[in-house]
Amino acid sequence: MDNRPIGFFDSGLGGLTCIPHLMRALPDERIVYFGDTARTPYGSKAESTIRNFSFEISDFLVSQDVKMIAIACNTVSSIALSALRKRHPSIPILGIISPASHTIANTCTGENNVGIIGTKVTIASDAYPDKILKFNSDLHLHQMACPTLVPLIEEGIIEHSIMDLSIEYYLDHFIKYNEIDTLVLGCTHYPLIRKNIEKIYPKLRIVDPSKEMFTSIDDTLTERGIKAASPTISNIFYASDLSENFVNMINKIFSDSDFKVAFRNFDLDDYLR
Ligand code: DGL
Protein backbone atom coordinates (compact mmCIF):
# COMPACT_ATOMS: atom_id res chain seq x y z
CA MET A 1 0.00 0.00 0.00
CA ASP A 2 1.22 3.52 -0.81
CA ASN A 3 -0.94 6.60 -0.24
CA ARG A 4 1.40 9.01 -2.00
CA PRO A 5 -0.12 10.74 -5.05
CA ILE A 6 0.38 9.95 -8.74
CA GLY A 7 1.92 12.81 -10.73
CA PHE A 8 0.20 13.77 -13.99
CA PHE A 9 1.32 16.43 -16.42
CA ASP A 10 0.44 17.99 -19.73
CA SER A 11 1.22 21.18 -21.65
CA GLY A 12 -2.05 22.63 -20.32
CA LEU A 13 -5.56 21.55 -19.51
CA GLY A 14 -5.72 18.63 -21.99
CA GLY A 15 -4.40 16.11 -19.48
CA LEU A 16 -7.36 16.91 -17.23
CA THR A 17 -9.44 14.74 -19.57
CA CYS A 18 -7.67 11.71 -18.02
CA ILE A 19 -8.81 12.54 -14.49
CA PRO A 20 -12.49 11.45 -14.58
CA HIS A 21 -11.33 8.06 -15.89
CA LEU A 22 -8.89 7.82 -12.96
CA MET A 23 -11.63 8.76 -10.49
CA ARG A 24 -13.86 6.02 -11.85
CA ALA A 25 -11.20 3.31 -12.21
CA LEU A 26 -9.09 4.02 -9.13
CA PRO A 27 -11.12 6.13 -6.70
CA ASP A 28 -8.62 5.77 -3.82
CA GLU A 29 -5.77 7.34 -5.75
CA ARG A 30 -4.85 11.00 -5.32
CA ILE A 31 -3.03 13.14 -7.84
CA VAL A 32 -0.69 16.05 -8.27
CA TYR A 33 -1.36 17.54 -11.71
CA PHE A 34 0.86 20.03 -13.48
CA GLY A 35 -0.48 21.94 -16.50
CA ASP A 36 2.17 24.05 -18.22
CA THR A 37 -0.40 26.65 -19.24
CA ALA A 38 2.23 29.40 -19.49
CA ARG A 39 4.05 27.58 -22.30
CA THR A 40 1.25 25.72 -24.09
CA PRO A 41 1.01 24.54 -26.85
CA TYR A 42 3.92 22.11 -27.01
CA GLY A 43 2.89 20.35 -30.20
CA SER A 44 4.66 22.60 -32.73
CA LYS A 45 7.82 23.25 -30.68
CA ALA A 46 11.28 21.72 -31.19
CA GLU A 47 11.75 18.28 -29.68
CA SER A 48 14.66 19.49 -27.53
CA THR A 49 12.48 22.27 -26.07
CA ILE A 50 9.67 19.86 -25.21
CA ARG A 51 12.12 17.40 -23.68
CA ASN A 52 13.61 20.14 -21.48
CA PHE A 53 10.14 21.31 -20.37
CA SER A 54 9.24 17.74 -19.48
CA PHE A 55 12.48 17.36 -17.46
CA GLU A 56 11.63 20.48 -15.44
CA ILE A 57 8.10 19.30 -14.71
CA SER A 58 9.05 15.73 -13.87
CA ASP A 59 11.78 17.01 -11.49
CA PHE A 60 9.13 19.15 -9.81
CA LEU A 61 6.69 16.23 -9.51
CA VAL A 62 9.40 14.01 -8.05
CA SER A 63 10.14 16.77 -5.50
CA GLN A 64 6.45 16.50 -4.51
CA ASP A 65 7.05 12.86 -3.57
CA VAL A 66 4.83 11.24 -6.21
CA LYS A 67 4.92 7.43 -6.40
CA MET A 68 4.48 7.33 -10.19
CA ILE A 69 4.36 9.76 -13.13
CA ALA A 70 1.66 9.41 -15.81
CA ILE A 71 2.40 11.52 -18.87
CA ALA A 72 -1.05 12.84 -19.82
CA CYS A 73 0.35 14.26 -23.04
CA ASN A 74 0.79 12.45 -26.34
CA THR A 75 3.39 14.94 -27.56
CA VAL A 76 5.70 14.36 -24.58
CA SER A 77 5.02 10.61 -24.60
CA SER A 78 5.92 10.42 -28.30
CA ILE A 79 9.41 11.91 -27.97
CA ALA A 80 10.53 11.98 -24.33
CA LEU A 81 9.34 8.82 -22.58
CA SER A 82 12.64 6.94 -22.60
CA ALA A 83 14.63 10.07 -21.63
CA LEU A 84 12.26 10.66 -18.70
CA ARG A 85 12.63 7.06 -17.57
CA LYS A 86 16.42 7.43 -17.65
CA ARG A 87 16.21 10.64 -15.63
CA HIS A 88 14.04 9.12 -12.88
CA PRO A 89 14.91 5.43 -12.76
CA SER A 90 13.49 4.93 -9.26
CA ILE A 91 9.81 5.56 -10.06
CA PRO A 92 7.53 4.13 -12.79
CA ILE A 93 6.82 6.55 -15.64
CA LEU A 94 3.97 5.69 -18.00
CA GLY A 95 3.20 7.18 -21.41
CA ILE A 96 -0.21 7.43 -23.00
CA ILE A 97 0.55 5.97 -26.44
CA SER A 98 1.36 2.34 -25.70
CA PRO A 99 -1.88 1.37 -23.88
CA ALA A 100 -4.05 2.94 -26.60
CA SER A 101 -2.00 1.26 -29.32
CA HIS A 102 -2.72 -2.09 -27.69
CA THR A 103 -6.48 -1.43 -27.73
CA ILE A 104 -6.42 -0.28 -31.37
CA ALA A 105 -4.38 -3.31 -32.44
CA ASN A 106 -6.75 -5.66 -30.59
CA THR A 107 -10.04 -4.12 -31.68
CA CYS A 108 -9.41 -3.21 -35.34
CA THR A 109 -8.84 -5.40 -38.36
CA GLY A 110 -7.40 -4.99 -41.86
CA GLU A 111 -10.90 -3.99 -43.00
CA ASN A 112 -10.79 -0.80 -40.94
CA ASN A 113 -9.22 2.48 -41.93
CA VAL A 114 -7.83 4.00 -38.76
CA GLY A 115 -7.16 7.73 -38.63
CA ILE A 116 -4.83 9.14 -35.97
CA ILE A 117 -4.97 12.87 -35.23
CA GLY A 118 -2.56 14.75 -33.00
CA THR A 119 -0.06 17.58 -32.77
CA LYS A 120 2.66 18.11 -35.40
CA VAL A 121 5.30 16.55 -33.13
CA THR A 122 3.21 13.47 -32.26
CA ILE A 123 2.35 12.82 -35.91
CA ALA A 124 5.92 13.45 -37.16
CA SER A 125 7.27 11.02 -34.53
CA ASP A 126 5.23 8.11 -35.98
CA ALA A 127 4.92 6.88 -32.38
CA TYR A 128 1.36 5.56 -32.90
CA PRO A 129 1.96 3.64 -36.16
CA ASP A 130 5.25 2.25 -34.84
CA LYS A 131 3.57 0.83 -31.73
CA ILE A 132 0.27 -0.27 -33.32
CA LEU A 133 1.91 -2.08 -36.24
CA LYS A 134 4.17 -3.97 -33.83
CA PHE A 135 1.03 -5.41 -32.21
CA ASN A 136 -0.94 -5.88 -35.45
CA SER A 137 0.76 -5.44 -38.81
CA ASP A 138 -2.48 -5.90 -40.83
CA LEU A 139 -3.94 -2.50 -39.99
CA HIS A 140 -4.36 0.45 -42.37
CA LEU A 141 -3.28 3.61 -40.56
CA HIS A 142 -3.48 7.25 -41.66
CA GLN A 143 -2.27 10.31 -39.77
CA MET A 144 -3.14 14.00 -39.69
CA ALA A 145 -1.65 16.84 -37.63
CA CYS A 146 -4.23 19.41 -36.48
CA PRO A 147 -2.11 22.22 -34.96
CA THR A 148 -4.72 24.95 -34.41
CA LEU A 149 -7.12 22.83 -32.34
CA VAL A 150 -5.14 22.98 -29.06
CA PRO A 151 -4.86 26.82 -28.90
CA LEU A 152 -8.62 27.10 -29.52
CA ILE A 153 -9.36 24.58 -26.77
CA GLU A 154 -7.00 26.33 -24.32
CA GLU A 155 -8.97 29.53 -25.06
CA GLY A 156 -12.21 27.71 -24.29
CA ILE A 157 -13.50 28.19 -27.86
CA ILE A 158 -15.34 24.88 -28.12
CA GLU A 159 -19.06 25.43 -28.61
CA HIS A 160 -18.53 27.78 -31.53
CA SER A 161 -18.59 27.51 -35.31
CA ILE A 162 -14.86 28.46 -35.42
CA MET A 163 -14.11 25.12 -33.76
CA ASP A 164 -16.39 23.18 -36.12
CA LEU A 165 -14.83 24.90 -39.15
CA SER A 166 -11.32 24.08 -37.90
CA ILE A 167 -12.27 20.43 -37.43
CA GLU A 168 -13.72 20.32 -40.95
CA TYR A 169 -10.65 22.08 -42.35
CA TYR A 170 -8.39 19.27 -41.12
CA LEU A 171 -10.70 16.27 -41.26
CA ASP A 172 -13.18 16.57 -44.14
CA HIS A 173 -10.82 15.55 -46.92
CA PHE A 174 -8.76 13.28 -44.64
CA ILE A 175 -11.79 11.22 -43.59
CA LYS A 176 -13.45 11.03 -47.01
CA TYR A 177 -10.30 10.38 -49.05
CA ASN A 178 -9.00 7.64 -46.71
CA GLU A 179 -12.48 6.27 -45.89
CA ILE A 180 -11.67 6.56 -42.18
CA ASP A 181 -14.07 4.61 -39.94
CA THR A 182 -12.07 4.74 -36.66
CA LEU A 183 -10.56 7.95 -35.32
CA VAL A 184 -7.91 8.00 -32.58
CA LEU A 185 -7.84 11.20 -30.50
CA GLY A 186 -4.03 11.33 -30.27
CA CYS A 187 -3.93 14.48 -28.14
CA THR A 188 -5.38 14.73 -24.64
CA HIS A 189 -7.02 18.04 -25.52
CA TYR A 190 -9.25 16.42 -28.16
CA PRO A 191 -11.72 14.62 -25.85
CA LEU A 192 -12.91 18.16 -25.04
CA ILE A 193 -14.09 18.48 -28.67
CA ARG A 194 -15.26 14.88 -29.02
CA LYS A 195 -18.91 16.02 -29.18
CA ASN A 196 -18.09 18.44 -32.04
CA ILE A 197 -16.37 15.63 -33.96
CA GLU A 198 -19.24 13.19 -33.33
CA LYS A 199 -21.78 15.78 -34.47
CA ILE A 200 -19.93 16.39 -37.77
CA TYR A 201 -18.98 12.74 -38.43
CA PRO A 202 -21.64 10.65 -36.61
CA LYS A 203 -20.57 7.32 -38.11
CA LEU A 204 -16.99 7.36 -36.81
CA ARG A 205 -15.88 5.04 -34.03
CA ILE A 206 -13.76 7.15 -31.68
CA VAL A 207 -10.84 5.83 -29.61
CA ASP A 208 -9.85 7.99 -26.63
CA PRO A 209 -6.33 7.13 -25.38
CA SER A 210 -6.88 9.08 -22.14
CA LYS A 211 -9.35 6.36 -21.20
CA GLU A 212 -7.10 3.46 -22.17
CA MET A 213 -4.25 4.70 -19.96
CA PHE A 214 -5.84 3.51 -16.74
CA THR A 215 -5.50 -0.21 -17.33
CA SER A 216 -1.72 0.20 -17.46
CA ILE A 217 -1.69 2.54 -14.44
CA ASP A 218 -3.77 -0.01 -12.50
CA ASP A 219 -1.52 -2.90 -13.62
CA THR A 220 1.67 -1.07 -12.61
CA LEU A 221 0.28 -0.06 -9.20
CA THR A 222 -0.80 -3.65 -8.57
CA GLU A 223 2.47 -5.22 -9.77
CA ARG A 224 4.52 -2.94 -7.51
CA GLY A 225 2.13 -3.19 -4.55
CA ILE A 226 1.71 0.60 -4.39
CA LYS A 227 -2.07 1.07 -4.61
CA ALA A 228 -3.57 3.63 -2.24
CA ALA A 229 -6.13 2.83 0.46
CA SER A 230 -8.35 5.60 1.87
CA PRO A 231 -5.83 8.45 1.65
CA THR A 232 -6.66 11.71 3.42
CA ILE A 233 -4.65 14.07 1.19
CA SER A 234 -6.22 16.38 -1.43
CA ASN A 235 -5.73 16.38 -5.17
CA ILE A 236 -3.54 19.32 -6.11
CA PHE A 237 -3.57 21.04 -9.49
CA TYR A 238 -0.63 23.23 -10.39
CA ALA A 239 -0.54 25.49 -13.41
CA SER A 240 2.36 27.61 -14.58
CA ASP A 241 -0.30 30.24 -15.42
CA LEU A 242 -3.50 29.66 -13.46
CA SER A 243 -5.93 30.74 -16.17
CA GLU A 244 -9.68 31.13 -15.64
CA ASN A 245 -10.34 28.41 -18.19
CA PHE A 246 -8.06 25.96 -16.35
CA VAL A 247 -9.84 26.57 -13.03
CA ASN A 248 -13.29 26.32 -14.66
CA MET A 249 -12.37 23.03 -16.29
CA ILE A 250 -11.19 21.53 -12.99
CA ASN A 251 -14.35 22.70 -11.22
CA LYS A 252 -16.45 21.15 -13.98
CA ILE A 253 -14.62 17.82 -13.73
CA PHE A 254 -14.99 17.68 -9.95
CA SER A 255 -18.45 19.25 -9.62
CA ASP A 256 -20.21 15.93 -9.03
CA SER A 257 -17.70 14.43 -6.65
CA ASP A 258 -16.69 14.95 -3.05
CA PHE A 259 -13.00 14.95 -3.98
CA LYS A 260 -10.99 17.69 -2.33
CA VAL A 261 -9.29 19.94 -4.86
CA ALA A 262 -6.64 22.58 -4.25
CA PHE A 263 -5.21 24.97 -6.85
CA ARG A 264 -1.76 26.49 -6.95
CA ASN A 265 -0.28 28.98 -9.36
CA PHE A 266 3.25 27.79 -9.80
CA ASP A 267 6.15 29.59 -11.39
CA LEU A 268 8.57 26.94 -12.68
CA ASP A 269 11.21 29.65 -13.15
CA ASP A 270 11.17 30.37 -9.42
CA TYR A 271 11.48 26.67 -8.69
CA LEU A 272 14.41 26.32 -11.10
CA ARG A 273 16.25 29.41 -9.84
N1 DGL B 1 -2.32 17.65 -24.88
C1 DGL B 1 -1.06 17.40 -25.45
C2 DGL B 1 -0.99 16.14 -26.27
O1 DGL B 1 -1.65 15.18 -25.92
C3 DGL B 1 -0.25 18.58 -25.97
C4 DGL B 1 -0.90 19.52 -26.91
C5 DGL B 1 -0.03 20.73 -27.19
O2 DGL B 1 0.42 21.36 -26.24
O3 DGL B 1 0.21 21.04 -28.37
O4 DGL B 1 -0.27 16.04 -27.24
Side-chain angles (χ1 to χ4, degrees):
M1 192 194 85
D2 188 339
N3 281 340
R4 289 178 302 155
I6 302 174
F8 279 80
F9 74 97
D10 180 45
S11 66
L13 53 78
L16 294 173
T17 59
C18 300
I19 307 308
H21 303 302
L22 174 86
M23 286 164 55
R24 244 169 267 134
L26 299 163
D28 281 336
E29 299 299 334
R30 295 293 177 266
I31 65 167
V32 175
Y33 182 95
F34 191 97
D36 199 1
T37 42
R39 303 190 290 199
T40 194
Y42 281 8
S44 303
K45 291 188 166 66
E47 287 190 16
S48 54
T49 306
I50 300 167
R51 211 168 282 121
N52 287 335
F53 289 171
S54 73
F55 286 168
E56 291 169 5
I57 297 169
S58 61
D59 289 356
F60 168 68
L61 289 173
V62 168
S63 79
Q64 301 303 295
D65 198 24
V66 296
K67 62 182 170 187
M68 169 195 274
I69 293 180
I71 307 172
C73 176
N74 291 263
T75 306
V76 172
S77 300
S78 73
I79 56 141
L81 178 58
S82 50
L84 284 167
R85 283 180 173 156
K86 267 193 209 127
R87 193 173 178 92
H88 304 288
S90 59
I91 58 165
I93 301 190
L94 302 184
I96 193 169
I97 292 177
S98 207
S101 300
H102 237 280
T103 305
I104 297 156
N106 289 337
T107 57
C108 294
T109 71
E111 295 191 355
N112 295 116
N113 279 306
V114 182
I116 300 152
I117 56 172
T119 65
K120 276 187 185 167
V121 168
T122 301
I123 298 305
S125 75
D126 277 336
Y128 271 103
D130 285 351
K131 275 267 180 286
I132 298 169
L133 293 173
K134 250 185 220 147
F135 298 133
N136 183 346
S137 56
D138 288 341
L139 299 187
H140 300 296
L141 307 176
H142 310 270
Q143 299 196 90
M144 176 60 106
C146 309
T148 61
L149 299 185
V150 169
L152 286 176
I153 295 167
E154 285 285 334
E155 283 301 322
I157 302 173
I158 290 175
E159 286 153 23
H160 194 281
S161 53
I162 295 176
M163 178 53 83
D164 292 346
L165 284 172
S166 303
I167 293 170
E168 284 166 359
Y169 170 74
Y170 291 117
L171 298 190
D172 257 5
H173 177 73
F174 175 66
I175 287 177
K176 281 183 197 124
Y177 181 76
N178 297 301
E179 299 179 4
I180 301 294
D181 52 48
T182 305
L183 189 72
V184 181
L185 306 182
C187 169
T188 50
H189 282 72
Y190 299 166
L192 296 166
I193 54 165
R194 180 179 178 142
K195 285 201 179 112
N196 306 55
I197 297 173
E198 284 174 336
K199 184 184 71 192
I200 304 170
Y201 310 106
K203 290 193 183 134
L204 279 181
R205 172 190 166 222
I206 301 218
V207 178
D208 176 1
S210 43
K211 197 170 163 196
E212 308 304 327
M213 201 180 188
F214 288 95
T215 322
S216 73
I217 292 181
D218 196 0
D219 289 350
T220 307
L221 292 173
T222 308
E223 271 161 30
R224 298 197 175 217
I226 54 171
K227 277 194 157 177
S230 316
T232 48
I233 53 172
S234 301
N235 297 295
I236 302 181
F237 294 85
Y238 290 95
S240 46
D241 177 20
L242 197 52
S243 66
E244 198 187 333
N245 200 26
F246 185 80
V247 175
N248 288 345
M249 197 62 77
I250 293 170
N251 284 331
K252 205 163 142 190
I253 288 171
F254 286 90
S255 62
D256 295 333
S257 82
D258 54 5
F259 269 47
K260 293 193 201 98
V261 177
F263 303 111
R264 307 261 197 285
N265 193 35
F266 190 77
D267 191 340
L268 264 182
D269 285 343
D270 281 349
Y271 167 71
L272 293 170
R273 230 169 261 146

